[in-house]
Amino acid sequence: MPSLLRFLLLLLLTFGSTVSPAQDNDQPPPATAPAATPAPTLEQLGSQLDTVKASLKNKTSDTPLADLRNTALGVQDQASELATSLAPQMTALQAQLAVLGPAPAKGAPAEAPEVAAQRRKLDKAQADLDAQIKQAQLLGQNATQLAAQISGLRNDEFQARLASRTATPFSHTFWADPVRTFPDDVVRLKRLGSRYASAVAQAWQPPNREPLAWCLIAAALLLGGGRWVLERLLLLLATRHVPDGHLRRSAMATAVALTAVLTTGLAAQLVYLGLNWNDILDDDLAALATRVVGLVCFAAYVTGLGRALLSVRRPSWRLPALSDLAAQRLRLFPWLLAAAALLFGLLDRTSRAVGTSLPASVATRGLFALVISGLIGLALLRLRRTRQAAAADGAEPEHRPLWIGLLTAAATLGVIVSWLGVATGFIALAFFVAVQMLWIGVIVATVYLLIYLLTDLINTTLLPHGRGGQRLQATFELAPHTLEQAAVLLAGICRVGLVLLALATVLTPFGAGPKDLLASAEQTLGNVKLGELAINPGTIFGGVLVLLAGMFVLRMLKRWLAEQLLPKSTMEKGMQDSIVTLLGYVGGLLVVVLTLAALHVDLKSITWIVSALSVGIGFGLQAIVQNFISGLILLVERPVKVGDWVSLSSDVEGDIRRINVRATEIQMGDRSTVIVPNSQLITQNVRNVTLANAQGRVQIKLPMPLDTDAGKVRELVLGILRAHHGTLAVPAPYVQLENLNNGVMTFNCVAYVGSPREVSGVKSDLLFEILKRLRSEGLPMTSPQSMLVRTLPPLVEEDEPTG
């Protein structure tokens, strides 16, 4: 799809340039191919540059600036190709000289005459070749500078042309000049017509008649029913192979737009091919016919694009938020705009081919500006009245995004400026505004269609509920939310890329075409630097490719180790997790290094980054770095590992679930998770309950009265400890009389289990069993407490003595 997108936009640029005022000058003939030997080629390229410079100095030269710029760019390309082609020859000469070795030092024995002659021959060839390479590089630099100079002159010429003013169409002077020059223009047109008539008559003669007839028949079939058949075929293929939903709708809309170009453009190309089967047309007639074919293709694309977006016959395919009434009222405007562009494009090309007078050209362009801006204004007016009628009927108004409102306001302003420009005599300005409105409208409509197409394609391929998403989940074991995030991210990137490409196309300097657009983008992006690092689109693409491929390989390797290799080893689970985690860190670092290498980043380019980060590390990132190093220590030394039961001095106790690069996740007994920085596990006291497969100990304190048979209690409890299936025979359980205090003797009952995690369960079972057996044997746990209550007589207060 990226290739199709690029082809479509470049196709639009190529065809649209035929009606754009940016292409006021005919394209130059193709540059002469480089000669077989470097010297004649360098001389030829130098003479071409001298010719261009002479044309620039000659103020009366009729050579268009566009031709001079293209010639300079052609010289630049040929010079670069020549310098590149000579580089292997220089390498071969250097290798031959290396075989001969260095020349003898002064005072050393002379070498053989044959070797000396061969050395002189190779030295001379190397010097000549080096001079040719340097000359080619110098010619390329001069051609680049000359092309830039011409671009500046063209921009100045364009600004002056827009600011030029003629007589107003309401004056007699405006119409007097075209009427005066009309007879001469008619004579020129008749000459061109006679030349074409002679060429057609010659093409109808044998042996050209049969190829011309077949081409005309094929063109008639394409124009008659070719588009209908092709649309039905594409509809059938979409019904069978494209999933039902938004993708089928956008795909069919795109197919409708492209079939119009393919059928009509191919028919026009067949007619041209039949006429010029044996190079019957001369260079001027062939160039004019080629541009007519381009105009036909552009007009066909405008009509196809309008049919695709309006979809009057199939409202369910309609992409814009338009009512059926609005689409019905706008259905003729794409055809009218295409017909106007084709008609006035033919008049403009024909007038330049025959060299019609300036008043006729000005009048033609003024009429074109009025027609194009009038059609656009009428379409806006009909659309507004449709919305007003719908609002009067009580229908809910259609939601219009902000960019639609801005585009409508800009089109309205453009219509007003174009009409005022014609009325006040600024014909060039009015013509430019009208053509740019048509051109921008085609670009916006194309980008709108492509955004829908790519978005629907991405969603169909990546969303989890689709067939493509389900296959990706099954193949790569991706989570559904990962696919959803990838779909949103890719759709956003495509939209931003299309919008930027559209803006670059619209804002292309005056007179530039697709080749100039790509060269300008590459030069602009290539001159951007980050420190000493040059930002190059190709290098960035390679770096991103290395990053994605490296992360994919690393992920597959980690999955293979975690799921296939390590589970079959004798390593414990915690050790396996530590190895996989360390591999992820090391592999990720390696992938980053390879990505930087692919981006041609050296230490000098990132020194300033490291210097800036060092200050932040010293102040704000100190704790993060400390935790990171602590995490590496935990993974290497493994004092704790995944699955261990640990207890920290900060009242945190639970199982380690994951050791990350910065912190460790500990799951508490209530199933909550505590995030503990790794530095705490290194610097604080940590109790690892399950370290080295530790055994668990069950301890029960059993208080009994002094009059209890201690031996009987000991044997009873010891039997219970030994009989439980969870206790170990080695170490053996034991019961000790620990203390006698306040009429109570305390037994310490101890048994060992296989793991500390079993302690609580085994202890509960033992307590239940001990209580049950003690009750059945009539052995009380403690002596009953006796309470003696005494009632004291009230205190009698003695009377105070009386004196």
Side-chain angles (χ1 to χ4, degrees):
M1 291 309 299
S3 300
L4 177 61
L5 169 63
R6 183 181 301 175
F7 170 76
L8 179 59
L9 286 179
L10 291 183
L11 184 69
L12 281 176
L13 284 171
T14 304
F15 291 155
S17 62
T18 59
V19 298
S20 174
Q23 299 292 338
D24 283 343
N25 302 306
D26 293 336
Q27 297 294 333
T32 306
T37 55
T41 303
L42 291 173
E43 184 178 356
Q44 179 184 1
L45 296 179
S47 63
Q48 291 181 7
L49 280 185
D50 293 338
T51 303
V52 172
K53 293 178 181 179
S55 300
L56 290 178
K57 293 180 180 179
N58 187 7
K59 302 299 183 179
T60 61
S61 177
D62 295 332
T63 306
L65 292 177
D67 292 357
L68 298 178
R69 183 175 182 273
N70 288 328
T71 301
L73 292 177
V75 171
Q76 175 192 359
D77 294 338
Q78 294 185 45
S80 300
E81 293 177 0
L82 181 60
T84 304
S85 63
L86 294 179
Q89 301 181 26
M90 176 63 72
T91 304
L93 288 176
Q94 292 175 352
Q96 295 179 14
L97 287 173
V99 171
L100 294 180
K106 186 176 181 180
E111 57 187 358
E114 296 82 0
V115 176
Q118 183 69 17
R119 185 186 302 279
R120 289 193 298 271
K121 181 179 179 181
L122 292 176
D123 288 338
K124 184 178 182 303
Q126 183 182 14
D128 295 341
L129 191 60
D130 183 66
Q132 292 174 352
I133 293 176
K134 292 180 179 180
Q135 185 179 359
Q137 294 174 348
L138 181 60
L139 284 175
Q141 295 177 359
N142 292 337
T144 303
Q145 296 174 359
L146 191 59
Q149 179 183 356
I150 296 175
S151 297
L153 293 176
R154 294 177 70 192
N155 291 331
D156 295 340
E157 182 185 25
F158 171 63
Q159 298 294 336
R161 188 182 304 174
L162 288 183
S164 62
R165 184 181 181 184
T166 61
T168 174
F170 299 105
S171 64
H172 174 73
T173 306
F174 181 85
W175 299 106
D177 292 338
V179 170
R180 178 176 50 83
T181 59
F182 181 73
D184 296 335
D185 295 334
V186 171
V187 172
R188 296 187 182 96
L189 290 175
K190 287 182 178 180
R191 291 176 183 173
L192 180 63
S194 63
R195 291 171 60 189
Y196 260 110
S198 176
V200 172
Q202 184 180 356
W204 191 247
Q205 301 299 324
N208 300 325
R209 179 182 300 176
E210 184 175 355
L212 176 58
W214 283 112
C215 289
L216 292 177
I217 292 173
L221 291 177
L222 285 174
L223 292 176
R227 185 172 64 182
W228 184 86
V229 173
L230 187 57
E231 286 184 3
R232 294 302 180 276
L233 179 61
L234 291 175
L235 177 60
L236 180 61
L237 293 176
T239 305
R240 291 184 177 181
H241 301 286
V242 179
D244 189 13
H246 294 284
L247 179 60
R248 182 181 297 180
R249 179 188 64 173
S250 57
M252 286 308 305
T254 307
V256 168
L258 290 180
T259 50
V261 179
L262 293 177
T263 54
T264 308
L266 184 58
Q269 185 65 29
L270 285 173
V271 174
Y272 167 72
L273 183 63
L275 290 175
N276 199 29
W277 187 264
N278 290 320
D279 294 332
I280 294 176
L281 302 178
D282 56 32
D283 294 339
D284 294 336
L285 294 181
L288 180 58
T290 302
R291 282 151 182 80
V292 170
V293 172
L295 284 170
V296 172
C297 292
F298 179 77
Y301 180 73
V302 172
T303 59
L305 191 60
R307 289 181 62 241
L309 294 180
L310 296 178
S311 296
V312 178
R313 296 183 179 179
R314 298 181 178 87
S316 60
W317 291 5
R318 188 178 303 137
L319 298 179
L322 291 175
S323 62
D324 295 341
L325 179 60
Q328 184 68 29
R329 290 187 175 183
L330 296 178
R331 64 178 303 180
L332 293 179
F333 284 94
W335 295 87
L336 295 176
L337 289 173
L342 178 60
L343 176 60
F344 287 100
L346 289 174
L347 291 177
D348 185 65
R349 294 294 174 180
T350 303
S351 63
R352 278 189 285 160
V354 300
T356 55
S357 60
L358 180 61
S361 299
V362 170
T364 302
R365 294 195 171 192
L367 183 60
F368 175 80
L370 291 177
V371 171
I372 294 296
S373 57
L375 289 175
I376 295 176
L378 183 59
L380 294 175
L381 182 61
R382 283 199 173 186
L383 192 60
R384 181 181 178 183
R385 289 180 177 177
T386 302
R387 291 197 300 269
Q388 291 177 351
D393 294 339
E396 185 178 354
E398 302 168 355
H399 173 70
R400 293 200 310 170
L402 178 61
W403 67 271
I404 292 291
L406 294 177
L407 191 64
T408 303
T412 304
L413 180 62
V415 171
I416 297 174
V417 171
S418 182
W419 278 69
L420 288 178
V422 173
T424 55
F426 291 96
I427 304 298
L429 176 61
F431 176 77
F432 173 76
V433 171
V435 172
Q436 290 303 311
M437 284 193 297
L438 177 61
W439 179 230
I440 292 174
V442 172
I443 292 176
V444 170
T446 303
V447 171
Y448 183 82
L449 178 59
L450 290 178
I451 284 177
Y452 266 94
L453 178 63
L454 292 179
T455 303
D456 294 340
L457 179 61
I458 291 171
N459 291 336
T460 304
T461 305
L462 295 181
L463 287 183
H465 55 75
R467 289 185 298 177
Q470 293 177 358
R471 291 179 180 177
L472 289 175
Q473 292 181 68
T475 304
F476 300 102
E477 298 182 2
L478 299 175
H481 69 274
T482 302
L483 291 178
E484 293 178 352
Q485 293 174 357
V488 173
L489 180 62
L490 288 179
I493 292 175
C494 290
R495 291 185 179 186
V496 172
L498 287 173
V499 171
L500 291 179
L501 184 58
L503 290 176
T505 306
V506 172
L507 300 178
T508 301
F510 174 72
K515 182 178 179 180
D516 301 329
L517 175 64
L518 296 178
S520 177
E522 182 178 358
Q523 182 179 4
T524 301
L525 295 177
N527 292 333
V528 178
K529 290 187 176 181
L530 183 62
E532 297 296 330
L533 177 62
I535 305 300
N536 185 277
T539 304
I540 294 177
F541 178 78
V544 172
L545 187 62
V546 170
L547 178 62
L548 294 178
M551 297 305 294
F552 176 77
V553 172
L554 179 61
R555 180 175 180 179
M556 296 300 294
L557 180 59
K558 290 173 60 178
R559 181 179 300 172
W560 176 74
L561 286 174
E563 298 180 0
Q564 298 186 22
L565 180 61
L566 295 180
K568 297 178 181 179
S569 64
T570 58
M571 298 181 185
E572 57 184 4
K573 188 65 172 63
M575 186 63 180
Q576 296 178 16
D577 294 339
S578 299
I579 291 176
V580 173
T581 305
L582 282 176
L583 177 64
Y585 294 153
V586 176
L589 180 61
L590 180 60
V591 170
V592 171
V593 171
L594 292 177
T595 303
L596 294 178
L599 293 174
H600 305 295
V601 177
D602 54 5
L603 294 178
K604 294 181 180 179
S605 301
I606 61 176
T607 300
W608 65 277
I609 301 179
V610 176
S611 300
L613 289 179
S614 60
V615 179
I617 291 174
F619 291 96
L621 304 180
Q622 183 177 5
I624 296 178
V625 174
Q626 180 182 4
N627 290 323
F628 175 78
I629 301 301
S630 300
L632 295 180
I633 294 175
L634 291 176
L635 292 173
V636 174
E637 293 187 355
R638 303 178 70 245
V640 295
K641 60 182 182 297
V642 176
D644 282 353
W645 180 5
V646 298
S647 176
L648 278 67
S649 58
S650 55
D651 296 333
V652 176
E653 183 174 358
D655 297 328
I656 295 179
R657 293 305 181 196
R658 188 175 181 183
I659 300 177
N660 296 317
V661 68
R662 189 195 66 84
T664 298
E665 299 177 5
I666 299 179
Q667 188 175 29
M668 305 288 286
D670 58 356
R671 317 305 293 175
S672 63
T673 301
V674 178
I675 310 299
V676 179
N678 291 331
S679 59
Q680 292 188 14
L681 298 176
I682 299 297
T683 59
Q684 295 184 6
N685 296 329
V686 179
R687 175 173 173 259
N688 193 336
V689 181
T690 57
L691 181 63
N693 297 322
Q695 296 176 344
R697 188 183 69 162
V698 180
Q699 184 179 21
I700 300 175
K701 301 290 186 176
L702 188 61
M704 301 292 290
L706 286 176
D707 55 355
T708 305
D709 188 351
K712 185 177 180 180
V713 173
R714 180 179 182 277
E715 293 299 329
L716 185 145
V717 175
L718 192 58
I720 294 174
L721 297 180
R722 292 173 178 173
H724 194 278
H725 63 84
T727 59
L728 300 178
V730 179
Y734 61 88
V735 177
Q736 296 177 341
L737 186 59
E738 187 178 68
N739 194 11
L740 296 173
N741 187 16
N742 296 328
V744 176
M745 55 182 177
T746 304
F747 294 90
N748 184 21
C749 312
V750 178
Y752 293 92
V753 293
S755 171
R757 302 184 185 279
E758 303 176 10
V759 170
S760 59
V762 174
K763 183 176 182 179
S764 177
D765 295 341
L766 293 175
L767 286 174
F768 276 111
E769 185 65 23
I770 289 173
L771 291 175
K772 178 180 178 182
R773 295 288 298 277
L774 288 177
R775 287 192 178 96
S776 64
E777 296 293 335
L779 297 174
M781 287 288 294
T782 59
S783 300
Q785 299 291 334
S786 59
M787 180 179 296
L788 180 61
V789 180
R790 294 182 179 181
T791 303
L792 299 177
L795 297 177
V796 179
E797 297 181 0
E798 297 181 355
D799 296 335
E800 295 181 0
T802 58

